Amino acid sequence: MWERAHPVRGIFEGAARSRESLHVMTMLPKPADTRSAAQDGIAPAASAKPALRVKRKHIPPARSQWSAAPEHTVQFYADDDFLVEQIGNFVYEGLTDGEACVVIATETHRERLEQRLAFEGLDMIAACEQGMYTSFDAAVTLAQFITEGSLDQEAFNLVVGGIIAQAAYGHGKDSQPRHVRAFGEMVALLWAGGDHAAAIRLEEMWNELRESDASPPFSLCCAYPMSDFASETHEQAFREICATHTQVIPDERYTALADPEERLRAITLLQQQASSLVGETVGRKAAEERVRISEHLYRHLFEASTDGILVVDPATHAIIEANQVVADLLDSTPAQLIGRSLLQIGLFPDEESAEAVWRELEAQCLARREALEIYVGNGTARYIEFVGNRFQVNSHEIIQCHLRDITDRKRAEEAQRQLETRKDAFISMASHELRTPVTSLKAFTQVLQRRLRKQPDTDPQVLLVLDRIEEQINRQTRLISDLLDLSKMQVGYLALHETWFDLDGLVRETLDTVQPTTQTHTLRLRGATHAQVYGDRERLGQALINLLTNAIKYSPRADSVLVTLRSDREWAEVAVRDFGIGIAPKHLERVFERFYQVDDPDTSTYPGLGIGLYIAQTIMERHGGRLWVESSGGKGSTFHFGLSLLRHVGPSESASGHSDLQPGSAEVS
């Protein structure tokens, strides 16, 4: 028994199912041709005739293919007119050749078929009376071998086998059986109902019955609408259906072509269309696979993202999707967020703020908020970084919002800001407190030096010690001054007293000032700018001193520092080069940061607070200039600063124009 469940059993409701009262050889559905002659408008025949050959009213095309019917044929068709014509030819050839014909079809097809046969000149009443033609309703017949929703092989053999046997032996059981032609639409009903496996199984059951020794010989024709195979998912089943038949006849688009040349052209065109469809199918499947992979990847990223993600409908501003991260962030669940607006979930403080975001998304497709303060749960404040993007997905616009919790970062920044404030306050206070005693020490030292030098018997060693004391006091004075400047820079109160001055003169004067402080290095000067610059001469000299003292400190094994001057129409440049330990590339970006000190083992022995370069850079920036460095570990360093020659008004005006002097372009040796 075929055990597959039949999903369209409803079409058989009301059909006669009882078979208990029927004999094995007579267990047949009631033939559909037992209507009266009066109902058909045809007079009954006076006596049975051995043959039904009549003069044809017209000769239909393609008749020869049915003159010797194959064992099992499948006919595909596009419309019912063609089907009725083809099956009419199939039955006509059988009846006129003395074969019995059985039709198991829908009521509409049976009626149209019999009308066509009568139009062809056949006496259908005589054919029925002689047992040459019998017809049955396909749904009623099929219902008689459906048991509990499945095809019943034994019942099929009894019902359908009985129909074939009655047609073959209808003229007398002792004579030779007539060859039978059968047309059946029961497989088409199963296929149309969606039970494709049952349709294929029924085709196999027909073959098994035809090959059985107990069955009289018969030829079978089945038919399917070609529209039932429009999907590529039907390809395998279509192949199986064709495999169960000994002859496959295409639909009328091919069969109606009588000229062999036209048929060849049609086949070629169909091959081209098939090849094109295969290519399109392969391309579509590849695209679908890419889309599937993309959707899977998106879903994975959506769920696995450490950011909260909301997908919003641009038309309604309602949330249509939310991941778990954003739900946790807002102390909610994804389901509770769906359908609500960003304002309703507390992401914006008021409607005006929310509308501003929508306007930005409408105009620029992007909206960003660095730190939104929201309140969740029991009123706990959180800080959210918000980025919204508007874009199209499959021709539909969506808004995707990314939310990142930056609460910890904001708290750390606030703590750092407070620490910086306290540190700056401490530095300012300590600098002021230290400045007075250091100034007093310097004054007392200078008084003591003058008195001792006036006494002829003063020990020279004592004077040397006093000189060293004064040198250290001067160093501490400069350090305190730097700390005070640092405090002023932090609050933006570093006053500049700007005038026009000769840059070359400032450089020479600064070298003369620094040279006596070192016994190990010679400060060499090369080139000239011949430039008058506008700025604070004292502050620019302070920046140059910081660069020179650093060059001396970080080149302990060298004996010179080279200062190079150059200029063009727009910029004047000063370069200070040492021949010391250099700076590793990883530190170059940070050497101008406040309190930053290189922590390499080779440089850790050099004392300092890490504020000299910071102060120098700040001074240059206040003058509209720039400060940069070129260095590599073990090969010394060159610090450059450039001042604009186009700056005429004051410190607030920025340098402009193009210059041939680029960072690192100074000529040094």
Side-chain angles (χ1 to χ4, degrees), residues 350-521:
D350 50 51
E351 188 171 348
E352 183 179 352
S353 301
E355 286 299 323
V357 169
W358 300 130
R359 286 194 297 270
E360 289 180 32
L361 286 167
E362 182 69 27
Q364 307 171 16
C365 296
L366 174 67
R368 182 186 297 272
R369 296 294 182 270
E370 297 295 337
L372 292 174
E373 186 176 10
I374 64 173
Y375 295 88
V376 298
N378 57 358
T380 303
R382 288 182 179 273
Y383 292 93
I384 304 297
E385 184 180 58
F386 171 89
V387 178
N389 293 279
R390 180 174 182 148
F391 55 93
Q392 284 196 342
V393 176
N394 296 330
S395 74
H396 297 287
E397 280 197 340
I398 66 168
I399 295 174
Q400 184 165 292
C401 305
H402 288 255
L403 283 68
R404 179 172 297 175
D405 188 352
I406 59 170
T407 305
D408 292 341
R409 189 180 79 191
K410 287 287 292 183
R411 290 172 179 169
E413 289 174 353
E414 178 61 21
Q416 181 66 25
R417 187 188 65 79
Q418 294 178 1
L419 179 62
E420 292 289 335
T421 301
R422 290 195 296 268
K423 182 172 64 176
D424 292 339
F426 170 77
I427 291 173
S428 178
M429 179 186 66
S431 300
H432 283 286
E433 292 297 325
L434 289 173
R435 191 169 193 174
T436 300
V438 169
T439 302
S440 298
L441 283 174
K442 184 174 183 178
F444 291 148
T445 302
Q446 290 174 344
V447 170
L448 187 57
Q449 284 177 319
R450 286 196 297 271
R451 288 185 177 183
L452 289 177
R453 285 194 175 96
K454 292 178 181 180
Q455 298 178 9
D457 57 346
T458 300
D459 187 349
Q461 192 67 30
V462 173
L463 293 175
L464 181 62
V465 171
L466 288 174
D467 290 340
R468 295 289 183 268
I469 292 174
E470 184 180 22
E471 182 182 333
Q472 293 301 319
I473 291 173
N474 289 336
R475 180 175 297 177
Q476 293 303 313
T477 301
R478 288 195 299 271
L479 176 59
I480 292 171
S481 297
D482 285 347
L483 290 173
L484 287 172
D485 288 341
L486 183 64
S487 299
K488 294 175 183 178
M489 291 174 183
Q490 289 303 110
V491 297
Y493 185 70
L494 181 66
L496 297 181
H497 305 285
E498 295 180 298
T499 59
W500 287 99
F501 66 91
D502 176 31
L503 179 59
D504 294 350
L506 172 64
V507 173
R508 288 193 295 269
E509 181 181 320
T510 304
L511 293 181
D512 291 342
T513 300
V514 176
Q515 183 64 75
T517 65
T518 175
Q519 280 75 43
T520 58
H521 291 70

Side-chain angles (χ1 to χ4, degrees), residues 63-252:
R63 175 73 76 189
S64 60
Q65 67 182 355
W66 300 113
S67 58
E71 296 174 343
H72 193 177
T73 301
V74 59
Q75 171 71 65
F76 295 100
Y77 64 95
D79 61 60
D80 285 2
D81 290 341
F82 176 75
L83 173 67
V84 171
E85 179 182 341
Q86 288 294 91
I87 301 308
N89 294 339
F90 173 73
V91 173
Y92 183 92
E93 290 293 339
L95 291 177
T96 56
D97 287 343
E99 299 180 63
C101 293
V102 174
V103 174
I104 307 175
T106 64
E107 182 178 359
T108 300
H109 286 165
R110 293 197 321 271
E111 290 178 354
R112 293 187 60 186
L113 174 62
E114 291 166 12
Q115 290 172 1
R116 179 176 181 81
L117 292 173
F119 178 76
E120 293 288 343
L122 292 179
D123 187 346
M124 296 306 296
I125 293 179
C128 293
E129 291 177 349
Q130 296 174 26
M132 297 289 288
Y133 176 84
T134 53
S135 68
F136 302 87
D137 185 88
V140 174
T141 306
L142 179 59
Q144 296 193 55
F145 54 88
I146 294 286
T147 303
E148 296 181 357
S150 302
L151 295 176
D152 188 329
Q153 175 78 61
E154 182 180 359
F156 171 80
N157 291 338
L158 292 175
V159 174
V160 177
I163 291 174
I164 299 299
Q166 179 133 350
Y169 293 101
H171 59 295
K173 294 184 180 180
D174 296 332
S175 60
Q176 290 294 321
R178 293 177 297 206
H179 188 273
V180 178
R181 291 192 180 204
F183 168 68
E185 279 193 295
M186 295 181 290
V187 289
L189 291 179
L190 290 171
W191 185 272
D195 199 340
H196 301 166
I200 295 172
R201 176 56 187 152
L202 183 54
E203 296 279 15
E204 295 171 348
M205 290 166 62
W206 273 107
N207 287 337
E208 292 167 5
L209 177 63
R210 186 173 49 78
E211 295 169 359
S212 171
D213 294 336
S215 173
F218 68 92
S219 299
L220 173 65
C221 178
C222 303
Y224 294 87
M226 186 58 79
S227 59
D228 286 353
F229 302 91
S231 172
E232 63 184 64
T233 59
H234 297 145
E235 178 182 353
Q236 182 58 35
F238 183 81
R239 291 177 180 273
E240 293 180 20
I241 287 175
C242 293
T244 60
H245 295 81
T246 57
Q247 183 183 42
V248 177
I249 303 177
D251 66 23
E252 55 267 41

Side-chain angles (χ1 to χ4, degrees), residues 2-17:
W2 181 246
E3 297 295 339
R4 183 176 176 84
H6 180 46
V8 290
R9 58 186 303 174
I11 65 175
F12 304 120
E13 291 180 0
R17 298 177 179 273

